[in-house]
């Protein structure tokens, strides 16, 4: 009963490095989301994918790209990491007609 | 975009105390949700509210959907140490740059030193 799985759990990057955060869900959900969480800022939506083959920008998309690889997987890419991208990143998914989202356990990213 | 205002931002609890927090909006929403985030984990859905005036319980947690559909309250009775964490309110709001859910900034519960 995995739900939403995120990898890695922790990552340290140097400024300018690139990396991809992975997310997979096994609930056959149509929609998937990437959030970042910073102290005092709550959860801010970076990108989302309403269904396989579509992606849309959220509130804070700058510096990120996403790929909805298939119905299960939704990845988030940082092309050139910056210290301002130090944050905890959460992936979530939701199903048609379902209430609320199911979240992964997060990736804690530090950019030095 | 739309905003939800949660208060208080943080509070300290002593075991056995009752806790109250609320969430308000300037717009009407028809579905209100409460999530809890344990330290180091993602948020988990606690309670969903669908009808104005509705009062729903989940164990020691009770949430109410305001009659104006612009607010909601969460109460925790007889708090215990495992209640610590961040509580988020959220509303269903399909589409837009905030996706299908708008979240408040959270109320952080900590144990009183």
């Amino acid at each position: 009963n995995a739900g939403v799985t995120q990898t890695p759990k922790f990552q340290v990057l140097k400024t300018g490095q690139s990396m991809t955060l992975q997310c997979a869900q096994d609930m056959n959900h149509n929609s998937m989301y990437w959030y970042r969480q910073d102290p005092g800022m709550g959860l801010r939506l970076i990108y989302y994918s309403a269904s396989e083959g579509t992606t849309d920008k959220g509130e804070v998309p700058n510096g990120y790209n996403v790929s909805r690889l298939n119905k299960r997987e939704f990845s988030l890419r940082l092309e050139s990491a910056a210290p301002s991208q130090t944050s905890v990143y959460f992936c979530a998914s939701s199903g048609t007609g379902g209430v609320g989202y199911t979240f992964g356990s997060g990736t804690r990213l530090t950019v030095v | 975009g739309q905003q939800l205002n949660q208060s208080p931002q943080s509070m300290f609890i002593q075991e056995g105390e009752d806790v109250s927090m609320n969430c308000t909006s300037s717009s009407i929403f028809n579905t209100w949700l409460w999530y809890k985030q344990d330290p180091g984990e993602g948020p988990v859905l606690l309670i969903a509210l669908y009808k104005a005036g509705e009062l729903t319980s989940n164990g020691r947690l009770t949430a109410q959907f305001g009659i104006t559909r612009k607010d909601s309250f969460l109460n925790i009775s007889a708090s215990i140490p495992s209640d610590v964490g961040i509580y988020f309110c959220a509303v269903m709001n399909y589409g837009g740059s905030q996706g299908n859910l708008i979240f408040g900034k959270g109320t952080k519960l900590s144990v009183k030193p």
Side-chain angles (χ1 to χ4, degrees):
Chain A
N1 215 16
V4 177
T5 303
Q6 290 184 236
T7 55
K9 288 195 178 299
F10 301 93
Q11 183 72 48
V12 178
L13 289 179
K14 293 183 179 178
T15 298
Q17 285 186 316
S18 63
M19 80 160 294
T20 299
L21 280 63
Q22 307 287 352
C23 175
Q25 52 92 8
D26 61 3
M27 296 170 286
N28 202 36
H29 283 169
N30 287 323
S31 302
M32 298 184 73
Y33 312 85
W34 276 105
Y35 285 88
R36 61 178 289 172
Q37 184 178 26
D38 303 292
M41 300 295 288
L43 294 160
R44 292 185 291 170
L45 185 64
I46 304 171
Y47 270 94
Y48 67 103
S49 170
S51 60
E52 187 178 353
T54 70
T55 60
D56 286 287
K57 294 179 180 179
E59 296 178 88
V60 289
N62 291 345
Y64 304 95
N65 285 302
V66 290
S67 295
R68 183 75 183 265
L69 304 169
N70 48 54
K71 192 170 186 178
R72 289 188 63 247
E73 298 172 287
F74 188 38
S75 63
L76 178 72
R77 183 160 178 84
L78 287 70
E79 290 290 353
S80 179
S84 61
Q85 294 177 305
T86 293
S87 187
V88 182
Y89 291 86
F90 288 100
C91 178
S93 69
S94 65
T96 303
V99 175
Y101 298 169
T102 301
F103 283 86
S105 57
T107 295
R108 186 173 294 274
L109 176 68
T110 302
V111 183
V112 297
Chain B
Q2 304 274 8
Q3 285 198 342
L4 296 180
N5 298 307
Q6 270 191 261
S7 65
Q9 283 188 318
S10 62
M11 57 194 309
F12 289 91
I13 59 171
Q14 197 150 40
E15 190 168 353
E17 285 181 338
D18 295 343
V19 171
S20 292
M21 61 192 79
N22 73 324
C23 186
T24 61
S25 167
S26 58
S27 301
I28 289 173
F29 293 101
N30 292 317
T31 302
W32 287 72
L33 308 171
W34 284 94
Y35 282 83
K36 184 197 176 193
Q37 183 180 24
D38 287 325
E41 297 294 329
V44 173
L45 183 64
L46 295 174
I47 291 177
L49 301 159
Y50 303 100
K51 191 175 174 182
E54 178 183 3
L55 195 69
T56 298
S57 293
N58 178 1
R60 292 177 296 104
L61 276 61
T62 301
Q64 183 162 23
F65 186 167
I67 197 73
T68 64
R69 291 184 285 160
K70 291 183 177 182
D71 58 10
S72 179
F73 300 84
L74 178 69
N75 296 310
I76 305 172
S77 63
S79 59
I80 59 178
S82 62
D83 288 333
V84 301
I86 302 176
Y87 292 79
F88 292 100
C89 63
V91 292
M92 301 285 287
N93 180 57
Y94 294 95
S97 66
Q98 293 166 294
N100 293 340
L101 274 188
I102 300 171
F103 286 92
K105 287 185 169 38
T107 293
K108 184 175 182 179
L109 253 59
S110 306
V111 175
K112 206 174 275 186

